[in-house]
mmCIF file with all atom_site columns, all heavy atoms in Angstrom:
data_model
loop_
_atom_site.group_PDB
_atom_site.id
_atom_site.type_symbol
_atom_site.label_atom_id
_atom_site.label_alt_id
_atom_site.label_comp_id
_atom_site.label_asym_id
_atom_site.label_entity_id
_atom_site.label_seq_id
_atom_site.pdbx_PDB_ins_code
_atom_site.Cartn_x
_atom_site.Cartn_y
_atom_site.Cartn_z
_atom_site.occupancy
_atom_site.B_iso_or_equiv
_atom_site.pdbx_formal_charge
_atom_site.auth_seq_id
_atom_site.auth_comp_id
_atom_site.auth_asym_id
_atom_site.auth_atom_id
_atom_site.pdbx_PDB_model_num
ATOM 1  N N   . PRO A 1 42 ? -18.933 15.012 -2.628 1.00 94.00 ? 744 PRO A N   1
ATOM 2  C CA  . PRO A 1 42 ? -18.904 14.874 -1.146 1.00 94.00 ? 744 PRO A CA  1
ATOM 3  C C   . PRO A 1 42 ? -20.045 15.584 -0.422 1.00 94.00 ? 744 PRO A C   1
ATOM 4  O O   . PRO A 1 42 ? -20.517 15.109 0.628  1.00 94.00 ? 744 PRO A O   1
ATOM 5  C CB  . PRO A 1 42 ? -17.536 15.442 -0.779 1.00 94.00 ? 744 PRO A CB  1
ATOM 6  C CG  . PRO A 1 42 ? -16.711 15.314 -2.008 1.00 94.00 ? 744 PRO A CG  1
ATOM 7  C CD  . PRO A 1 42 ? -17.691 15.515 -3.150 1.00 94.00 ? 744 PRO A CD  1
ATOM 8  N N   . ALA A 1 43 ? -20.425 16.753 -0.959 1.00 96.00 ? 745 ALA A N   1
ATOM 9  C CA  . ALA A 1 43 ? -21.487 17.499 -0.292 1.00 96.00 ? 745 ALA A CA  1
ATOM 10 C C   . ALA A 1 43 ? -22.801 16.694 -0.373 1.00 96.00 ? 745 ALA A C   1
ATOM 11 O O   . ALA A 1 43 ? -23.539 16.643 0.643  1.00 96.00 ? 745 ALA A O   1
ATOM 12 C CB  . ALA A 1 43 ? -21.670 18.862 -0.987 1.00 96.00 ? 745 ALA A CB  1
ATOM 13 N N   . LEU A 1 44 ? -23.090 16.135 -1.490 1.00 96.00 ? 746 LEU A N   1
ATOM 14 C CA  . LEU A 1 44 ? -24.278 15.266 -1.612 1.00 96.00 ? 746 LEU A CA  1
ATOM 15 C C   . LEU A 1 44 ? -24.224 14.092 -0.686 1.00 96.00 ? 746 LEU A C   1
ATOM 16 O O   . LEU A 1 44 ? -25.242 13.700 -0.082 1.00 96.00 ? 746 LEU A O   1
ATOM 17 C CB  . LEU A 1 44 ? -24.507 14.837 -3.055 1.00 96.00 ? 746 LEU A CB  1
ATOM 18 C CG  . LEU A 1 44 ? -24.862 15.939 -4.041 1.00 96.00 ? 746 LEU A CG  1
ATOM 19 C CD1 . LEU A 1 44 ? -24.660 15.460 -5.481 1.00 96.00 ? 746 LEU A CD1 1
ATOM 20 C CD2 . LEU A 1 44 ? -26.283 16.380 -3.795 1.00 96.00 ? 746 LEU A CD2 1
ATOM 21 N N   . ALA A 1 45 ? -23.046 13.490 -0.558 1.00 95.00 ? 747 ALA A N   1
ATOM 22 C CA  . ALA A 1 45 ? -22.873 12.305 0.332  1.00 95.00 ? 747 ALA A CA  1
ATOM 23 C C   . ALA A 1 45 ? -23.162 12.730 1.810  1.00 95.00 ? 747 ALA A C   1
ATOM 24 O O   . ALA A 1 45 ? -23.800 11.999 2.510  1.00 95.00 ? 747 ALA A O   1
ATOM 25 C CB  . ALA A 1 45 ? -21.490 11.762 0.236  1.00 95.00 ? 747 ALA A CB  1
ATOM 26 N N   . GLU A 1 46 ? -22.700 13.904 2.192  1.00 95.00 ? 748 GLU A N   1
ATOM 27 C CA  . GLU A 1 46 ? -22.937 14.387 3.566  1.00 95.00 ? 748 GLU A CA  1
ATOM 28 C C   . GLU A 1 46 ? -24.449 14.626 3.818  1.00 95.00 ? 748 GLU A C   1
ATOM 29 O O   . GLU A 1 46 ? -24.875 14.457 4.940  1.00 95.00 ? 748 GLU A O   1
ATOM 30 C CB  . GLU A 1 46 ? -22.123 15.687 3.795  1.00 95.00 ? 748 GLU A CB  1
ATOM 31 C CG  . GLU A 1 46 ? -20.690 15.445 3.969  1.00 95.00 ? 748 GLU A CG  1
ATOM 32 C CD  . GLU A 1 46 ? -19.931 16.745 4.242  1.00 95.00 ? 748 GLU A CD  1
ATOM 33 O OE1 . GLU A 1 46 ? -20.618 17.751 4.517  1.00 95.00 ? 748 GLU A OE1 1
ATOM 34 O OE2 . GLU A 1 46 ? -18.686 16.733 4.263  1.00 95.00 ? 748 GLU A OE2 1
ATOM 35 N N   . GLN A 1 47 ? -25.174 14.924 2.743  1.00 96.00 ? 749 GLN A N   1
ATOM 36 C CA  . GLN A 1 47 ? -26.597 15.155 2.896  1.00 96.00 ? 749 GLN A CA  1
ATOM 37 C C   . GLN A 1 47 ? -27.375 13.828 2.843  1.00 96.00 ? 749 GLN A C   1
ATOM 38 O O   . GLN A 1 47 ? -28.613 13.833 2.951  1.00 96.00 ? 749 GLN A O   1
ATOM 39 C CB  . GLN A 1 47 ? -27.106 16.070 1.751  1.00 96.00 ? 749 GLN A CB  1
ATOM 40 C CG  . GLN A 1 47 ? -26.510 17.452 1.776  1.00 96.00 ? 749 GLN A CG  1
ATOM 41 C CD  . GLN A 1 47 ? -26.823 18.209 0.495  1.00 96.00 ? 749 GLN A CD  1
ATOM 42 O OE1 . GLN A 1 47 ? -27.745 17.875 -0.271 1.00 96.00 ? 749 GLN A OE1 1
ATOM 43 N NE2 . GLN A 1 47 ? -26.030 19.231 0.227  1.00 96.00 ? 749 GLN A NE2 1
ATOM 44 N N   . GLY A 1 48 ? -26.661 12.717 2.710  1.00 95.00 ? 750 GLY A N   1
ATOM 45 C CA  . GLY A 1 48 ? -27.288 11.446 2.661  1.00 95.00 ? 750 GLY A CA  1
ATOM 46 C C   . GLY A 1 48 ? -27.840 11.071 1.264  1.00 95.00 ? 750 GLY A C   1
ATOM 47 O O   . GLY A 1 48 ? -28.571 10.088 1.138  1.00 95.00 ? 750 GLY A O   1
ATOM 48 N N   . ARG A 1 49 ? -27.504 11.846 0.291  1.00 97.00 ? 751 ARG A N   1
ATOM 49 C CA  . ARG A 1 49 ? -27.947 11.593 -1.085 1.00 97.00 ? 751 ARG A CA  1
ATOM 50 C C   . ARG A 1 49 ? -26.888 10.810 -1.837 1.00 97.00 ? 751 ARG A C   1
ATOM 51 O O   . ARG A 1 49 ? -26.198 11.238 -2.742 1.00 97.00 ? 751 ARG A O   1
ATOM 52 C CB  . ARG A 1 49 ? -28.224 12.937 -1.764 1.00 97.00 ? 751 ARG A CB  1
ATOM 53 C CG  . ARG A 1 49 ? -29.324 13.709 -1.125 1.00 97.00 ? 751 ARG A CG  1
ATOM 54 C CD  . ARG A 1 49 ? -29.441 15.149 -1.651 1.00 97.00 ? 751 ARG A CD  1
ATOM 55 N NE  . ARG A 1 49 ? -29.588 15.208 -3.100 1.00 97.00 ? 751 ARG A NE  1
ATOM 56 C CZ  . ARG A 1 49 ? -29.655 16.369 -3.797 1.00 97.00 ? 751 ARG A CZ  1
ATOM 57 N NH1 . ARG A 1 49 ? -29.452 17.508 -3.172 1.00 97.00 ? 751 ARG A NH1 1
ATOM 58 N NH2 . ARG A 1 49 ? -29.864 16.339 -5.103 1.00 97.00 ? 751 ARG A NH2 1
#
Side-chain angles (χ1 to χ4, degrees):
L746 290 166
E748 288 182 7
Q749 296 169 21
R751 297 169 58 186

